[in-house]
């Protein structure tokens, strides 16, 4: 909000201040004298008390405003400004050395900035209510079919099998491909644990390999080195919106007769050579968790061009029940179904996915502009040959020694930034599966992800930049 909306002159009447507060909806007006100095504040409570005490709306406020009030100075550290907020004070004027109003800080706008947020301003509510009123709220219904069709179409793939989440999608894909005991599956060291967990569920042995330094995605070279006669599949993960080198990975898979299962949980709509991710794997898996590019609350999908695998996954998803004979089970299946309610939201999300991606891309461009002169911050590569990344979070690298400093500074100011994933190879339960992973260990210690919520704007990005700069300079001042 513009500062002017919060400002009144000291000659104003009670009515003027009421109008000001009514319009700014912040419950407060900052009062300036004719020279532009901040001389007082008035809250809606102050006004109420004046009226109760018999003052009229045309009386001047000058004698009644609060002349002692909490304010911050332009050079105050953000953490010190935040420290001035309490349960009563939710908005603060910020002044320069001459006591002139230059800005304001608001608890609601500044104190909590979440990392990601679903954007559901299209037909989400309408379709959800439609599904609700139809009473088809379980896992049969029109929206399931529609969501599967619309999303797989969007990816340029024939069939979609919606699941309860991204992890069950991965497990379903591996199981449908018959992967299990005695098999090896190659996964990258930097990913969310669900990728490797799904492999472990099947009884197969995961093999963790290093990543590329420029893309942070699984290294084709390291895949090749890790192949053994037991290797059955590769799970390339398009990490933080960046597509893997699908050209080389497909060649390796073909030469060695391996399946590719793409993990696209973080990269809906990303492309390799103008072809969408999800269209390279024999099966590809998506997540629609609340913080992903598009969401169904919880949810996932396997997509494939293979009719037989499509059928197999549908049976496995539904307890392994025979399609022709009710309550006759041919395989040990699962209940990995998505509900029609979730699919209703998903259907509306797919309608707007291009718009959502465009908005995200635009936001990342703003970050890039604002961060341009931060020489010690490296933004995620966005011009790698043949790859068109999408913007999920805004991912950056900083000096390893300063990363936690910066995270703490952001956190102290209510900004929900996150470190990169801990490399799988650094966690005790997965260590035994790991090959040498030098690059991932280096990158993960330098990386952090910044918010991409819909409330982000240039001002907030500037603020994040300021906090990063202070984090780069300071020695662990923000430990809280
Ligand atoms: C989110 C995510 C998953 C798991 O998805 P859920 O829907 O949370 O089960 C799998 N892989 C990666 C890379 C993810 O980011």
């Amino acid at each position: 909000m513009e500062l002017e909306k919060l400002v009144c002159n000291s000659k104003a009447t009670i009515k003027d201040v009421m109008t000001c507060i009514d319009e700014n909806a912040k419950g407060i007006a900052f009062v300036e004298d004719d020279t532009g100095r901040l001389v007082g504040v008035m809250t809606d409570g102050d006004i109420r008390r004046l009226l109760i005490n018999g003052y009229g709306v045309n009386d001047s406020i000058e004698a009644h405003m609060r002349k002692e009030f909490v304010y911050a100075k332009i050079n105050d550290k953000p953490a010190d400004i935040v420290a001035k907020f309490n349960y009563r004070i939710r908005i603060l004027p910020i002044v320069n050395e001459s006591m002139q109003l230059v800005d304001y800080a608001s608890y609601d706008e500044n104190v909590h900035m979440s990392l990601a947020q679903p954007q559901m301003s299209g037909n989400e509510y309408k379709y959800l209510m439609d599904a609700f009123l139809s009473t088809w709220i379980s896992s049969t219904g029109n929206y399931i079919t529609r969501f599967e069709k619309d999303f797989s179409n969007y990816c340029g793939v024939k069939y979609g099998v919606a699941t309860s989440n991204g992890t069950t999608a991965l497990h379903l894909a591996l199981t449908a491909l018959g992967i299990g005991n005695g098999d090896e599956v190659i996964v990258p060291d930097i990913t969310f644990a669900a990728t490797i967990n799904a492999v472990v569920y099947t009884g197969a042995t995961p093999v963790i390999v290093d990543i590329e330094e420029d893309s942070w995605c699984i290294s084709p070279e390291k895949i090749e080195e890790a192949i053994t006669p037991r290797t059955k599949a590769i799970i390339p993960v398009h990490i933080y919106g960046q597509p893997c080198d699908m050209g080389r990975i497909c060649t390796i898979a073909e030469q060695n007769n391996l399946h590719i299962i793409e993990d696209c949980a973080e990269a809906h709509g990303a492309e390799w050579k103008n072809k969408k991710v999800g269209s390279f794997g024999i099966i590809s898996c998506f997540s629609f968790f609340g913080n992903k590019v598009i969401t169904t609350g919880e949810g996932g999908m396997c997509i494939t061009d293979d009719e037989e695998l499509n059928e197999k996954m549908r049976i496995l998803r539904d307890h392994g029940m025979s399609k022709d004979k009710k309550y006759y089970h041919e395989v040990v299946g699962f209940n990995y179904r998505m509900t029609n309610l979730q699919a209703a939201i998903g259907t509306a999300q797919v309608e707007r996915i291009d718009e959502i991606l465009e908005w995200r891309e635009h936001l990342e461009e703003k970050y890039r502009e604002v961060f341009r002169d931060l020489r010690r911050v490296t933004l995620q590569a966005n011009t790698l040959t043949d790859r068109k990344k999408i913007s999920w979070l805004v991912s950056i690298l900083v000096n390893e020694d300063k990363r936690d400093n910066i995270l703490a500074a952001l956190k102290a100011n209510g900004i929900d930034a996150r470190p990169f994933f801990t490399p799988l190879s650094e966690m005790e339960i997965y260590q035994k599966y790991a090959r040498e992973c030098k690059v991932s260990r280096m990158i993960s210690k330098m990386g952090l992800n910044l918010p991409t919520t819909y409330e982000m704007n240039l001002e907030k990005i500037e603020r994040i930049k300021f906090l990063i700069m202070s984090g780069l300079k300071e020695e662990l001042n923000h430990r809280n």
Side-chain angles (χ1 to χ4, degrees):
M1 191 176 61
E2 312 98 87
L3 188 58
E4 296 82 71
K5 286 202 171 157
L6 286 159
V7 182
C8 286
N9 186 277
S10 52
K11 302 271 162 43
T13 61
I14 291 179
K15 187 175 175 186
D16 294 334
V17 179
M18 286 168 87
T19 311
C20 173
I21 293 178
D22 190 48
E23 280 170 8
N24 70 34
K26 296 279 181 196
I28 195 167
F30 303 148
V31 185
E32 282 179 355
D33 66 11
D34 286 337
T35 69
R37 279 166 39 95
L38 182 70
V39 290
V41 304
M42 281 203 97
T43 66
D44 47 7
D46 296 335
I47 303 264
R48 199 160 48 236
R49 279 181 288 275
L50 286 174
L51 296 179
I52 289 170
N53 288 323
Y55 291 96
V57 291
N58 293 321
D59 290 333
S60 163
I61 56 161
E62 198 153 19
H64 307 292
M65 66 191 178
R66 279 171 197 256
K67 295 190 176 101
E68 288 191 15
F69 51 89
V70 179
Y71 62 92
K73 296 202 190 104
I74 182 75
N75 292 324
D76 285 351
K77 281 187 194 155
D80 295 338
I81 296 178
V82 169
K84 296 184 193 235
F85 289 124
N86 59 36
Y87 73 96
R88 270 187 321 113
I89 299 177
R90 290 303 208 211
I91 186 157
L92 281 177
I94 301 178
V95 297
N96 63 17
E97 308 80 58
S98 325
M99 207 53 200
Q100 280 158 332
L101 193 61
V102 288
D103 201 355
Y104 72 97
S106 141
Y107 180 87
D108 296 334
E109 287 172 42
N110 294 332
V111 170
H112 191 76
M113 218 182 278
S114 49
L115 185 73
Q117 184 185 37
Q119 214 273 11
M120 300 190 288
S121 57
N123 285 321
E124 287 80 0
Y125 185 72
K126 185 174 150 198
Y127 293 171
L128 179 61
M129 281 308 113
D130 184 40
F132 176 86
L133 293 170
S134 77
T135 75
W136 292 94
I137 62 171
S138 208
S139 49
T140 309
N142 293 340
Y143 285 108
I144 298 276
T145 326
R146 198 163 147 194
F147 181 43
E148 290 180 337
K149 200 164 135 264
D150 291 355
F151 187 71
S152 55
N153 258 349
Y154 174 78
C155 300
V157 172
K158 270 194 207 148
Y159 308 103
V161 181
T163 59
S164 48
N165 58 60
T167 311
T168 51
L170 285 162
H171 187 216
L172 189 65
L174 288 158
T175 311
L177 290 165
I179 288 165
N181 257 320
D183 298 333
E184 287 174 2
V185 178
I186 298 174
V187 300
D189 197 24
I190 299 282
T191 183
F192 182 59
T195 316
I196 188 168
N197 287 346
V199 176
V200 176
Y201 301 160
T202 67
T205 305
V207 177
I208 301 165
V209 304
D210 208 352
I211 59 169
E212 296 177 316
E213 202 169 334
D214 56 354
S215 72
W216 315 335
C217 293
I218 192 165
S219 153
E221 233 161 72
K222 302 292 167 182
I223 293 175
E224 258 184 319
E225 289 172 19
I227 293 171
T228 72
R230 287 142 74 100
T231 310
K232 285 280 154 31
I234 310 163
I235 310 186
V237 179
H238 309 298
I239 198 83
Y240 302 140
Q242 183 82 270
C244 298
D245 184 345
M246 291 318 294
R248 285 169 70 194
I249 294 172
C250 288
T251 309
I252 294 167
E254 218 163 282
Q255 285 167 351
N256 295 278
N257 198 22
L258 306 176
H259 294 307
I260 295 174
I261 302 164
E262 286 175 78
D263 182 339
C264 310
E266 302 178 1
H268 316 60
E271 293 174 10
W272 163 265
K273 281 199 176 170
N274 300 317
K275 218 172 150 245
K276 290 224 155 55
V277 300
S279 62
F280 299 92
I282 177 89
I283 302 174
S284 299
C285 304
F286 287 84
S287 163
F288 305 110
F289 183 65
N291 68 6
K292 305 287 161 107
V293 170
I294 60 168
T295 185
T296 59
E298 292 275 0
M301 199 183 293
C302 294
I303 61 173
T304 184
D305 276 324
D306 187 305
E307 192 181 345
E308 205 175 306
L309 284 170
N310 171 47
E311 285 304 324
K312 222 178 203 172
M313 288 194 287
R314 285 174 187 283
I315 291 168
L316 282 167
R317 173 180 68 173
D318 192 17
H319 303 283
M321 206 181 321
S322 161
K323 251 183 41 177
D324 313 314
K325 206 168 160 189
K326 194 82 182 160
Y327 305 126
Y328 188 84
H329 299 257
E330 290 158 347
V331 285
V332 180
F334 319 102
N335 177 357
Y336 282 174
R337 298 173 309 221
M338 175 183 271
T339 69
N340 198 41
L341 295 174
Q342 293 166 305
I345 298 174
T347 303
Q349 290 266 285
V350 182
E351 285 177 355
R352 291 171 47 249
I353 186 167
D354 282 329
E355 186 190 316
I356 291 172
L357 285 171
E358 215 170 284
W359 184 91
R360 287 173 173 278
E361 191 181 339
H362 187 64
L363 176 65
E364 186 178 330
E365 274 165 20
K366 277 193 209 161
Y367 265 103
R368 284 181 189 271
E369 249 171 69
V370 173
F371 284 12
R372 197 173 11 222
D373 55 346
L374 284 180
R375 274 177 300 111
R376 287 186 287 166
V377 172
T378 310
L379 280 115
Q380 184 183 24
N382 65 341
T383 52
L384 297 175
T385 318
D386 298 328
R387 306 189 212 212
K388 181 162 173 278
K389 79 181 258 313
I390 53 109
S391 306
W392 178 40
L393 306 167
V394 170
S395 310
I396 64 171
L397 300 183
V398 295
N399 190 323
E400 180 186 328
D401 316 331
K402 303 290 184 196
R403 200 269 308 264
D404 291 344
N405 242 359
I406 293 170
L407 273 174
L410 291 167
K411 188 172 167 223
N413 287 276
I415 295 162
D416 193 6
R418 302 277 171 85
F420 275 16
F421 294 125
T422 307
L424 298 174
S425 62
E426 282 184 11
M427 291 185 268
E428 212 178 316
I429 53 173
Y430 304 122
Q431 252 160 20
K432 57 177 176 285
Y433 305 124
R435 295 172 58 87
E436 190 180 60
C437 295
K438 280 191 191 143
V439 181
S440 58
R441 285 173 175 227
M442 175 185 76
I443 299 281
S444 73
K445 289 182 184 64
M446 300 166 71
L448 63 114
N449 285 314
L450 300 171
T452 53
T453 54
Y454 281 79
E455 68 209 5
M456 291 304 300
N457 54 30
L458 267 184
E459 214 175 7
K460 286 177 181 165
I461 298 172
E462 290 281 3
R463 188 176 153 73
I464 289 175
K465 176 187 180 179
F466 175 82
L467 292 167
I468 290 175
M469 282 161 57
S470 58
L472 283 169
K473 274 195 295 255
E474 285 168 30
E475 300 303 326
L476 292 167
N477 275 342
H478 292 284
R479 274 290 156 99
N480 54 351

